Structure formats: structure tokens, C-alpha cells
Amino acid sequence: MSRVPRERTIDSPQNPAVKRARALERDRDRRERERTFIAWGLHLAQEALRTRAPLRQIFITPAFPESGEGRELLRGLGGTGAPIVRTTSRVLESIVEGSGDQGILLLCTRPVLEPAALIRPGSSLVVALHGVQDPGNVGSIVRSSLALGVSGLIVLPGCSDPFGSRAVRAGMGAQFSLPVAAAGIRPFLDLLGSARLQLVATDRGGQDTPTEVDLILPTVLLLGSEAAGLPDDLLRAARRRVRIPMARGVESLNVHAAAASLLYEAARQRDFRYRP
């Protein structure tokens, strides 16, 4: 039986390993450049282990339970080969607010995918986001996409980082499983043309409701921010523009609610069923 390695205890927020983790939390460019992102909390650690996500470093504090379920989890994480660093709740809190009470924080290898790996002939259902700035919405859409049979997600300009720690928390670990890539608008539209996927865009002025669109066809579902909507060049490229019917007096839906509504309709049309 493997043993959990005992590492030195870091008790200073100025320790180089802690400063690097804090910089990753605050700097999206650095996360992308170093291909590393942060996930913290018991559930995300369990998901990382379950999905065999590649890990770079593991921070734990005395707040992390080292008996029962926690001990088994830590033994499994120790078997990944990632170094385990023991620290204090105060130090962990200096990296990400809220992580100190949970007692565990992971530095995870960020997958690097080209959008052509997702938007290609044979793709079935892809979600694309433009201008969605709230990380909670981005993470929740990643989670719903994974749950409802989406093959991948494309992040277009103006979106929050889907691998920021708040988005990862909202995604509940879906980022470990769902392929995610970033693209500019022009390359995105060029890929759509060559792959021959229909582009279905959300639009308050759209003529179609989700049930009137054939979502069994290979499709990219495109969503924009609640406030600004989608830019004209993306709307012009859309084969269909859909609106979600709402009660009189209601102006708009949260973008995650809109995404979940569309994805559920696509799953219904495709007779998608969860299979363990």
C-alpha cells in the first residue's frame, strides 16, 4: 500500500511556490503561458483524481481531513507523482480566497487544444461563447455542456477564462473532461465554413424558438452576453437565430439559463440519455 509522502511545511505567503500559485490565480496570461490552472476544494480534488487529470503540485493544510474519505483521496493524489506541499490555512487563503477552509488546492496542467480539433467534419454539437465575462456563468456552461452531450466548447473574444479558479469551481470539475479551446472570430467562422456545421445563434430578435430548429444536425450553438448580445458579423453568419420564449415583462435570461435551455432541447431532439 502506497504511503502519503510527508513534505516540509510552508508557513509564509512569500514562499516562492506560494507566490507562483498566487500569480497564476491573478494572471490569465500566465495561466495560459505556463499551461497551469488552479482547482481547490474536496470535490474538485476528487474529480481530478477520478478523471486522472495531470497535476503539477498539491497544497494541503491541517484543515484537510486525513482520515476516512480524505485519507483515501490523499493516498490517491500521492500516487499521481505530483509533489504534496504541506502549508497553513492562512497561506492557502493568500492564494485563493475561500480555499483555506477547504484545506486542499491543486495546480493542474491546462490542456491546450486547437479549435480545429473541435470544429471539424464529424463534430456533433459544440458550444461557442462570445463576450461572456462572468466566470460563474462560463463555468456553469461548461458543466451543463458536459452533462448534456456537448463534444466541446469554444471561447471567443471577450469571455472570462474558463480555467480561472472561479470558473473551475462553477464547473464542478467539468473542465477536467470537456474539451475547451479558444479562437478569434475570423478563424472561428473559417472553421465553420470548412466543417459545414450549422451555426445557431441566440438573438432576442430571432424568429425561431428552439423547438423549431433542427438540432440533430451537426451544430454550433453560439451565445453572447446578456447585456450586449452578439456582434453583427457573428449574427450574419448564423444559419438560424433563436429566441427563448419568456413571460411578458421579462427582458432576458441569464446566459447560463439560456444555454441550459438550448442544450436540453438539443438533447431531447437527439434522444440523448445519460449512460454511466
Side-chain angles (χ1 to χ4, degrees), residues 37 44 53 73 88 117 127 151 164 233 257:
F37 69 98
L44 289 178
L73 172 60
T88 66
V127 169
S151 57
D233 49 353

Side-chain angles (χ1 to χ4, degrees), residues 35-261:
R35 299 183 178 182
T36 304
F37 69 98
I38 288 174
W40 58 271
L42 180 63
H43 175 78
L44 289 178
Q46 291 169 330
E47 281 298 295
L49 184 60
R50 184 185 69 82
T51 59
R52 300 181 180 179
L55 305 178
R56 298 186 185 274
Q57 198 167 43
I58 302 160
F59 293 86
I60 65 166
T61 79
F64 184 79
E66 293 192 46
S67 61
E69 185 180 32
R71 184 175 181 82
E72 290 301 313
L73 172 60
L74 197 55
R75 183 179 292 114
L77 292 173
T80 67
I84 294 177
V85 178
R86 294 182 179 273
T87 187
T88 66
S89 296
R90 179 178 71 92
V91 168
L92 213 62
E93 194 73 15
S94 76
I95 300 172
V96 182
E97 184 178 356
S99 64
D101 290 340
Q102 292 280 317
I104 186 164
L105 182 147
L106 313 177
L107 298 190
C108 311
T109 301
R110 178 174 180 152
V112 178
L113 287 176
E114 293 298 324
L118 304 183
I119 302 179
R120 54 184 174 76
S123 296
S124 176
L125 181 62
V126 176
V127 169
L129 305 178
H130 179 278
V132 180
Q133 297 179 354
D134 182 83
N137 279 332
V138 171
S140 296
I141 292 170
V142 175
R143 184 182 182 188
S144 293
S145 296
L146 180 64
L148 291 167
V150 169
S151 57
L153 184 139
I154 301 289
V155 176
L156 298 173
C159 285
S160 178
D161 182 8
F163 290 97
S165 67
R166 286 179 60 196
V168 174
R169 287 285 289 177
M172 296 293 282
Q175 283 88 341
F176 294 132
S177 299
L178 186 75
V180 177
I185 291 178
R186 189 69 261 164
F188 168 74
L189 293 176
D190 289 344
L191 284 171
L192 277 176
S194 60
R196 297 184 179 179
L197 273 65
Q198 70 166 344
L199 181 63
V200 176
T202 55
D203 180 16
R204 291 180 194 173
Q207 296 302 307
D208 299 315
T209 62
T211 57
E212 296 169 330
V213 178
D214 184 354
L215 296 174
I216 298 175
L217 295 172
T219 298
V220 174
L221 288 176
L222 175 62
L223 297 103
S225 72
E226 297 167 54
L230 290 166
D232 289 343
D233 49 353
L234 286 174
L235 285 175
R236 283 194 298 268
R239 177 175 173 181
R240 306 290 289 270
R241 301 185 191 183
V242 297
R243 57 178 175 80
I244 297 174
M246 292 178 288
R248 187 182 301 275
V250 178
E251 205 170 290
S252 67
L253 281 176
N254 171 284
V255 65
H256 172 240
S261 299

